[in-house]
Amino acid sequence: MSEYKYYIKKIFQPAPNQVIIEAGDKSERPVFNYQPGQYAMISYRNRLGQMEDKHAFSLASSPTGSQSISFGIKIEGAFTHGLLNLQVGDELRVFGPYGNFCYQANKYPDAVMIAGGIGITPFFSALNYANDLKLSNKLALIYSARTKSGATFYPEIRSLQTRNSNLRTLFSFTEETGATETNVINTRISAEQIKNFVGDVSGKTFFICGPSLFMASMVANLLRLGVSRAQIKMEEFSMIPDKSWGARLKNISYALAFSALVAAIIFFSFIYEPTPKTAKKNYDANQLAMINSATYERMITIYDSKNKALSDLNQQILAAKSAATNSATTPVASSSSTPAATPVYTPATVYVPAPVYTPPKTSPTPTTGVSRAR
Ligand SMILES: Cc1cc2nc3c(=O)[nH]c(=O)nc-3n(C[C@H](O)[C@H](O)[C@H](O)COP(=O)(O)OP(=O)(O)OC[C@H]3O[C@@H](n4cnc5c(N)ncnc54)[C@H](O)[C@@H]3O)c2cc1C
């Protein structure tokens, strides 16, 4: 595997979800040899200073331009979003070239290229290549995209067509209506449209590149038209795992970290028992002592005043009883403020309050100094 340390010469976004990157050697040495249709794996240093895992991208440039290579990239996930942080002069590691979805001019004199979305990139390379070499090969391009503005390299392809009379095009912008430009339709590409556009299918080679469903649908169309399997070449933009040791180790460490997390979750879900609500009360000992002490003081005050009242009452009753005994011989003719001879209430000798609350050891000693029993 060959690795190249290239630098970004141009980077721009022709549409919000696309980026075009042109890169080459810093000292303008020629770039590596490749064939139109091949791809490279690229990597770059992210914002954290780490090299990203390598991802595959078709070389959208023509091998005839030896000073730089270019890529047309659809921004989708983390890797491709990260590309937007790169600037002219930043390093781009390039590995390759790879693949055999190649446009070999001598082998395919009559080629039909069918592109869905970003699947245009390998064909863009081939079209430029044919143009640069002034090939007399017949080229027919069917290019389907959602919108004209989202069709990568559309203006460039239109321009190429003005310079290459061997190039025929059919564009389909499926999310637009009322197409007025020549060779533009707004429907999905059917077998009939392919037939109308390419005519006789014999002797032609059909290249298809794009999303999986698009490719499957185009293959079905071609088979319906009598195209043999051997006439069809395909490139699927599926994920190609980065098999370098750095990437493998990174994946292994991610896998280990993930497994450890899962194990920890399982472990804690088994041993964790929620504390019962009652046990959750967590008093501060000093605070509790203060509360207890205050409550204690309050109780003492209540007991004291109650005792005093009862004591006074006892005194009155005893006094009244004694007075009644003393004047037992003297009949009382009329009522007076003196209590009746027989007391209505016979109290206990002395009121004994219930045992008082004893605060915990931490509480301060009560300062009232009141005797509990009187
Ligand atoms: C031969 C070939 C040519 C291609 N040419 C183009 C092209 O010209 N233009 C274009 O836009 N796209 C092209 N693609 C598709 C392109 O590689 C992916 O769409 C792109 O890498 C996904 O980037 P992302 O930011 O969505 O990835 P992320 O969101 O970062 O990753 C997507 C998912 O893929 C996983 N993944 C792991 N390793 C890789 C890896 N090495 N490559 C990709 N995914 C990985 C990630 O873990 C994640 O789950 C091509 C693909 C192939 C196979």
Side-chain angles (χ1 to χ4, degrees):
M1 176 184 65
S2 305
E3 176 180 347
Y4 303 89
K5 208 175 180 183
Y6 286 162
Y7 292 85
I8 295 179
K9 292 180 164 183
K10 263 188 209 169
I11 180 162
F12 63 96
Q13 288 189 258
N17 66 340
Q18 296 164 22
V19 64
I20 309 288
I21 297 179
E22 193 182 313
D25 188 84
K26 209 167 199 172
S27 47
E28 298 297 327
R29 277 178 301 193
V31 291
F32 56 81
N33 290 323
Y34 60 97
Q35 294 184 51
Q38 283 195 295
Y39 70 93
M41 303 283 282
I42 67 170
S43 174
Y44 61 91
R45 206 169 282 284
N46 62 26
R47 281 178 154 184
L48 302 174
Q50 298 156 339
M51 289 307 286
E52 285 283 343
D53 289 349
K54 301 188 284 272
H55 282 212
F57 295 97
S58 296
L59 290 144
S61 47
S62 162
T64 46
S66 62
Q67 295 304 306
S68 57
I69 52 171
S70 66
F71 302 96
I73 296 172
K74 185 173 171 188
I75 308 298
E76 283 184 303
F79 182 90
T80 45
H81 268 96
L83 289 169
L84 299 179
N85 298 322
L86 299 179
Q87 295 173 347
V88 171
D90 283 347
E91 185 188 308
L92 191 75
R93 292 276 170 90
V94 183
F95 305 79
Y98 303 103
N100 41 33
F101 186 65
C102 306
Y103 173 69
Q104 292 164 283
N106 53 348
K107 214 170 163 187
Y108 309 117
D110 194 352
V112 179
M113 300 172 175
I114 308 179
I118 198 66
I120 189 65
T121 48
F123 301 140
F124 189 61
S125 172
L127 298 183
N128 276 294
Y129 177 75
N131 205 53
D132 289 348
L133 296 184
K134 306 275 179 256
L135 298 178
S136 56
N137 294 33
K138 285 187 189 168
L139 289 165
L141 173 73
I142 301 174
Y143 181 11
S144 178
R146 288 183 181 165
T147 58
K148 186 170 103 173
S149 58
T152 318
F153 301 129
Y154 175 72
E156 291 86 349
I157 294 168
R158 280 286 193 195
S159 162
L160 276 173
Q161 203 179 2
T162 61
R163 287 175 277 140
N164 185 352
S165 55
N166 295 316
L167 171 61
R168 298 172 57 240
T169 54
L170 174 66
F171 300 98
S172 164
F173 302 130
T174 53
E175 284 185 4
E176 289 180 358
T177 51
T180 50
E181 284 181 280
T182 49
N183 312 334
V184 175
I185 56 171
N186 292 133
T187 57
R188 288 183 182 277
I189 292 157
S190 64
E192 200 177 4
Q193 278 158 340
I194 296 175
K195 174 97 186 122
N196 291 341
F197 180 61
V198 301
D200 186 4
V201 297
S202 61
K204 290 183 165 54
T205 307
F206 292 83
F207 294 82
I208 313 173
C209 186
S212 308
L213 283 177
F214 172 84
M215 297 209 329
S217 154
M218 292 306 118
V219 170
N221 283 339
L222 294 178
L223 295 178
R224 211 171 298 150
L225 294 177
V227 176
S228 73
R229 185 66 194 83
Q231 284 175 272
I232 304 174
K233 313 272 173 226
M234 292 184 282
E235 179 87 299
E236 197 186 347
F237 279 4
S238 54
M239 299 304 172
I240 293 181
D242 182 353
K243 288 184 180 161
S244 67
W245 278 108
R248 282 182 205 198
L249 282 174
K250 203 164 140 188
N251 288 341
I252 289 168
S253 46
Y254 283 162
L256 285 176
F258 182 71
S259 311
L261 184 71
V262 171
I265 290 169
I266 293 170
F267 178 71
F268 281 112
S269 66
F270 273 112
I271 64 159
Y272 175 72
E273 250 181 60
T275 317
K277 275 192 178 165
T278 48
K280 272 190 179 169
K281 289 179 184 168
N282 184 19
Y283 293 117
D284 175 66
N286 289 332
Q287 218 174 14
L288 187 64
M290 277 169 64
I291 293 167
N292 282 344
S293 171
T295 310
Y296 176 81
E297 292 301 334
R298 231 179 7 258
M299 286 170 70
I300 294 300
T301 311
I302 293 166
Y303 281 134
D304 280 353
S305 57
K306 203 168 158 191
N307 282 347
K308 190 170 181 318
L310 285 170
S311 179
D312 288 352
L313 187 63
N314 272 345
Q315 293 300 324
Q316 283 176 26
I317 291 167
L318 287 172
K321 198 177 174 185
S322 157
T325 311
N326 289 342
S327 60
T329 50
T330 312
V332 179
S334 58
S335 66
S336 72
S337 59
T338 316
T342 308
V344 284
Y345 167 64
T346 310
T349 22
V350 177
Y351 171 75
V352 180
V356 291
Y357 168 75
T358 312
K361 279 181 184 163
T362 48
S363 1
T365 313
T367 51
T368 49
V370 181
S371 169
R372 257 20 95 208
R374 297 202 178 169

